[in-house]
Amino acid sequence: MSMVTVNISPYSNLKDDTVLIGVNCLDRNIIKQALEKEPVIINPYQTSDGIQKASETCWNISFKHCDFLAKLLNEIHAVSYSSLYWKILLLPWMNAFVQNLYDRYLRLCIVRRDFPHAVIEIPIIGISGPLYARSFDVWKQSDKHALNIKLYSFLIKSMGLNSKVKYLDIKLDDAVEVDAFLGLRQILKRLRQSMHFHSGNNLFLWYKETPREIFNLSREMGGFQWGVPFIKEEGLYKKSLNRDKIRLASTEDEFEDILHKIIPIAFPISLFEEFHARRKEAAHFLKTKKIRIVFTSEYFYLNDTEKFILGEIKETGGRIIGRQHGGAGYGSSLVAIHERIERFLFDYFITWGWDDKDLCPTIPLPVLHLSKMRYVHAQKNKDILFIGSHAPMYVYSYSDYWLSEFVYNKYYNMKDIFFRNLVEPARKRILYRPYPTEYGWNEKKRIREMLPDVRFHESCSAIVGMKTCSLVVIDHPSTSFLEALSMNVPTICFWDNTQSALRDEAKIYFQLLKEAGILYYDPIDASKKVNEIADDPQDWWKSQKVQTVRHKFCRRYVWVDENWKDIWSRTLKVLE
């Protein structure tokens, strides 16, 4: 290549001498063209070891900087909270932001090393204001081009690469993203997310549970009260503060120095300008309700005021009991950053069945919503439900199976190999469930090219299709395969085991799935198994060998039990 152009965004043209900073540069309309041209796409993570190393680096950096910021923010806000209080507020956002920034930094380091004379094309954009209104926005906006171009622009300037930049004549919005007008459904969802219930001195923040589940559990515990008032998350007073006071000392590390410069710009408004308003809301709430124990789950990430509640609880000697939300990596993956954050911050952690001695104590309990569905599968059709997935085109978290380059280079290719090796009668029975969020992969179009007569499962939940299908096929290690196993639906799984590293204690359980013919690491082997059992999946699935393995695996990773209310009630009363 005589003159290499490095594309930072999808707003540049794809030329023969183009190097892409990542697959985020591929607009959905040129993915097929890119597959034919095979441009160089920068990938800092060639193996799962590289992912683990990057994840550990980001954990150490974010953990250390929470301590730095704790001292600084105590001074700015004239308070004297502990380091743990500040980690409850900051660590979820800090770790996610560091991962986002570090990924973009590593990519530019490769450009600097391997393409020193390249021209970098990037749209013009300002980066003067706060990047995030709330801490959850670091995930919510991680796939947005405008936000990522701001990060790349800041990094390019900080790394001294701006002399090589060719700015594109494209204007992008510099404003902090805020929610658009909310319809009735969105308003009701927000209200539900702000609700809670409590029993005695216990506060439950589990908005994904249905009112009936909450009522049944509360009745077993001896009474409950719905949460009024709501936990306020929006419309809080913003105090005028000087962000330049968020100043961290320089270091001898290039990335950390860049991080120090961008933190004043990136710091969420909810945790800085709204600090005193949220602190007041939390203190008033706890005083009114006389809460001593808080049970929390995924709500911890969604609501910043809850973080203040949890911080105040810990400061006054109360306890936080977390609960596993979803199955992706919990208790099994070497890289499970949400589990690591939660188990560091919480006093106890309720799991879906597994336990270990790392970090805070684990409490294995039956999965509430799945325990009610353990016998609901009743085949009513011949559908082979294939549950697909993918990830944002920007790396947003070091979840080892969902790095965007893996999705682009291998994940869709594994689907294609699987479908091509199915016999025609099985292929015609495929009911494909696309991932709910498109992210730019053009999933439906690509699946139609593999299966011209494919039907799509468009229900709000994959569980709806699982209840009546003849067979489920899942091509990724996530919540869906645990749901299928717990519901006792005939299930075939396949994925790339070199991309998803397991903990030592988990390997034996996944090996059992493999030996029973449930799990495969090669799409051809998986398709052969489907061809073999497609006429009567139940005959294979109900065999003693398969059911013994299923029971053993589920008891460890997705425990369901008809006596779930009694088990939960006894456990929670002990924790009171």
Side-chain angles (χ1 to χ4, degrees):
M1 296 184 184
S2 55
M3 179 58 72
V4 174
T5 300
V6 177
N7 289 2
I8 299 294
S9 73
Y11 303 108
S12 299
N13 294 322
L14 187 62
K15 302 182 286 290
D16 290 336
D17 63 348
T18 295
V19 172
L20 305 182
I21 199 73
V23 297
N24 59 276
C25 298
L26 299 176
D27 182 270
R28 68 177 66 188
N29 297 317
I30 63 170
I31 286 182
K32 186 173 182 179
Q33 178 189 354
L35 289 168
E36 294 169 353
K37 281 180 171 285
E38 297 185 347
V40 175
I41 300 178
I42 290 173
N43 181 8
Y45 322 101
Q46 300 300 326
T47 66
S48 60
D49 289 343
I51 301 167
Q52 294 170 41
K53 182 179 178 181
S55 178
E56 191 66 24
T57 296
C58 291
W59 172 265
N60 292 333
I61 290 173
S62 57
F63 195 87
K64 176 173 62 176
H65 281 76
C66 283
D67 286 332
F68 293 162
L69 287 167
K71 182 178 180 181
L72 197 58
L73 292 169
N74 272 332
E75 294 175 359
I76 292 172
H77 295 300
V79 293
S80 56
Y81 284 115
S82 68
S83 175
L84 180 58
Y85 172 92
W86 286 107
K87 284 188 175 74
I88 291 171
L89 266 59
L90 301 180
L91 188 55
W93 171 79
M94 176 63 76
N95 186 260
F97 178 69
V98 169
Q99 288 182 83
N100 277 246
L101 190 68
Y102 190 64
D103 169 75
R104 290 27 159 198
Y105 170 77
L106 290 180
R107 294 172 189 274
L108 287 173
C109 285
I110 293 174
V111 171
R112 185 168 59 185
R113 182 193 69 200
D114 295 349
F115 309 101
H117 304 296
V119 174
I120 302 173
E121 289 191 356
I122 188 169
I124 300 173
I125 193 167
I127 51 173
S128 57
L131 295 183
Y132 306 108
R134 296 182 296 174
S135 63
F136 185 70
D137 291 343
V138 72
W139 291 281
K140 184 180 176 183
Q141 298 183 25
S142 61
D143 64 321
K144 309 299 184 187
H145 292 309
L147 187 281
N148 281 283
I149 291 169
K150 291 177 184 181
L151 295 182
Y152 273 120
S153 296
F154 193 94
L155 286 164
I156 287 168
K157 182 178 180 181
S158 300
M159 295 170 71
L161 300 173
N162 47 313
S163 62
K164 304 174 182 180
V165 170
K166 175 184 176 182
Y167 289 105
L168 302 177
D169 189 19
I170 296 171
K171 301 294 184 183
L172 296 173
D173 187 13
D174 182 31
V176 175
E177 286 204 24
V178 296
D179 293 327
F181 174 77
L182 298 177
L184 178 60
R185 179 175 294 182
Q186 287 77 23
I187 291 172
L188 292 174
K189 183 178 180 181
R190 288 284 179 85
L191 288 175
R192 187 182 174 197
Q193 290 178 358
S194 299
M195 289 184 69
H196 57 87
F197 81 98
H198 59 277
S199 175
N201 294 329
N202 302 325
L203 172 66
F204 293 82
L205 298 169
W206 294 345
Y207 85 88
K208 277 199 171 180
E209 259 56 65
T210 66
R212 179 175 294 180
E213 287 170 335
I214 293 174
F215 176 79
N216 287 336
L217 183 59
S218 302
R219 187 173 57 183
E220 293 292 326
M221 293 180 64
F224 78 100
Q225 181 181 349
W226 287 109
V228 179
F230 295 125
I231 296 174
K232 193 172 182 180
E233 172 66 358
E234 298 173 347
L236 290 111
Y237 172 71
K238 297 174 178 59
K239 185 176 181 179
S240 179
L241 295 170
N242 183 2
R243 283 179 167 250
D244 290 339
K245 291 184 176 181
I246 312 175
R247 183 171 298 176
L248 297 167
S250 61
T251 70
E252 296 182 356
D253 181 88
E254 181 183 45
F255 176 75
E256 290 193 29
D257 280 344
I258 294 171
L259 178 64
H260 292 185
K261 293 176 185 176
I262 200 172
I263 280 178
I265 301 171
F267 209 83
I269 294 170
S270 60
L271 303 182
F272 193 62
E273 283 84 358
E274 292 177 357
F275 172 82
H276 285 289
R278 290 181 185 272
R279 176 186 174 225
K280 183 179 178 180
E281 283 284 327
H284 176 72
F285 179 89
L286 292 172
K287 183 178 180 181
T288 302
K289 304 293 184 182
K290 299 180 180 178
I291 301 299
R292 300 298 300 157
I293 301 175
V294 176
F295 294 83
T296 186
S297 189
E298 72 282 351
Y299 198 63
F300 169 65
Y301 295 95
L302 300 174
N303 188 302
D304 282 336
T305 302
E306 183 187 330
K307 295 183 181 69
F308 283 80
I309 290 173
L310 299 183
E312 293 289 344
I313 279 285
K314 290 301 295 181
E315 289 293 285
T316 56
R319 288 181 292 169
I320 306 171
I321 301 175
R323 186 190 61 157
Q324 180 177 339
H325 44 98
Y330 278 91
S332 61
S333 177
L334 280 176
V335 181
I337 191 60
H338 283 178
E339 177 195 333
R340 189 174 188 179
I341 290 173
E342 291 156 29
R343 293 186 63 197
F344 173 80
L345 297 176
F346 302 161
D347 296 286
Y348 296 95
F349 190 72
I350 296 171
T351 76
W352 283 14
W354 55 272
D355 61 353
D356 66 29
K357 295 179 174 59
D358 294 333
L359 299 173
C360 76
T362 51
I363 305 172
L365 287 176
V367 186
L368 290 176
H369 70 288
L370 293 177
S371 287
K372 300 187 306 178
M373 294 190 286
R374 61 198 179 281
Y375 301 128
V376 297
H377 177 251
Q379 182 181 335
K380 295 182 179 179
N381 54 57
K382 287 287 187 178
D383 292 340
I384 298 176
L385 179 64
F386 189 106
I387 300 177
S389 191
H390 51 215
M393 287 188 160
Y394 290 94
V395 173
Y396 73 104
S397 175
Y398 286 122
S399 173
D400 51 6
Y401 206 73
W402 291 127
L403 291 186
S404 48
E405 279 69 35
F406 167 73
V407 176
Y408 174 79
N409 290 318
K410 196 165 184 179
Y411 177 67
Y412 274 98
N413 187 48
M414 290 180 70
K415 289 182 193 284
D416 189 35
I417 292 170
F418 173 82
F419 291 137
R420 283 191 284 108
N421 282 276
L422 287 179
V423 295
E424 187 65 19
R427 194 181 299 122
K428 288 183 176 180
R429 289 165 53 190
I430 294 292
L431 177 65
Y432 187 93
R433 177 173 176 79
Y435 192 69
T437 306
E438 168 54 40
Y439 288 132
W441 292 105
N442 222 351
E443 183 179 12
K444 286 186 178 180
K445 181 179 179 182
R446 296 174 76 174
I447 297 302
R448 282 197 188 99
E449 290 172 353
M450 301 177 195
L451 296 170
D453 298 323
V454 70
R455 295 165 296 129
F456 290 106
H457 182 262
E458 304 284 5
S459 174
C460 61
S461 171
I463 288 176
V464 174
M466 290 183 193
K467 289 179 179 179
T468 58
C469 69
S470 66
L471 178 66
V472 173
V473 179
I474 301 171
D475 64 352
H476 55 282
S478 191
T479 306
S480 293
F481 94 94
L482 297 178
E483 292 172 334
L485 291 177
S486 72
M487 292 169 63
N488 206 12
V489 185
T491 303
I492 296 293
C493 301
F494 70 92
W495 53 72
D496 182 357
N497 64 316
T498 64
Q499 186 69 19
S500 183
L502 293 171
R503 302 174 197 178
D504 289 341
E505 60 270 25
K507 291 177 181 177
I508 184 174
Y509 292 94
F510 284 82
Q511 181 61 27
L512 288 173
L513 294 181
K514 195 171 183 298
E515 292 172 357
I518 298 172
L519 172 62
Y520 297 86
Y521 297 139
D522 185 317
I524 295 177
D525 292 339
S527 64
K528 287 179 179 178
K529 186 64 178 181
V530 172
N531 292 338
E532 174 193 326
I533 67 171
D535 288 341
D536 187 6
Q538 289 288 344
D539 183 59
W540 159 72
W541 187 252
K542 293 297 185 181
S543 67
Q544 183 177 354
K545 178 181 179 180
V546 170
Q547 285 297 306
T548 298
V549 167
R550 185 189 74 84
H551 279 291
K552 188 170 185 177
F553 186 90
C554 286
R555 184 57 183 82
R556 174 74 180 181
Y557 289 109
V558 57
W559 179 18
V560 292
D561 197 294
E562 63 182 345
N563 298 313
W564 63 270
K565 282 188 290 186
D566 293 336
I567 297 169
W568 270 83
S569 179
R570 288 196 305 267
T571 304
L572 295 184
K573 286 178 180 177
V574 170
L575 292 173
E576 284 186 285

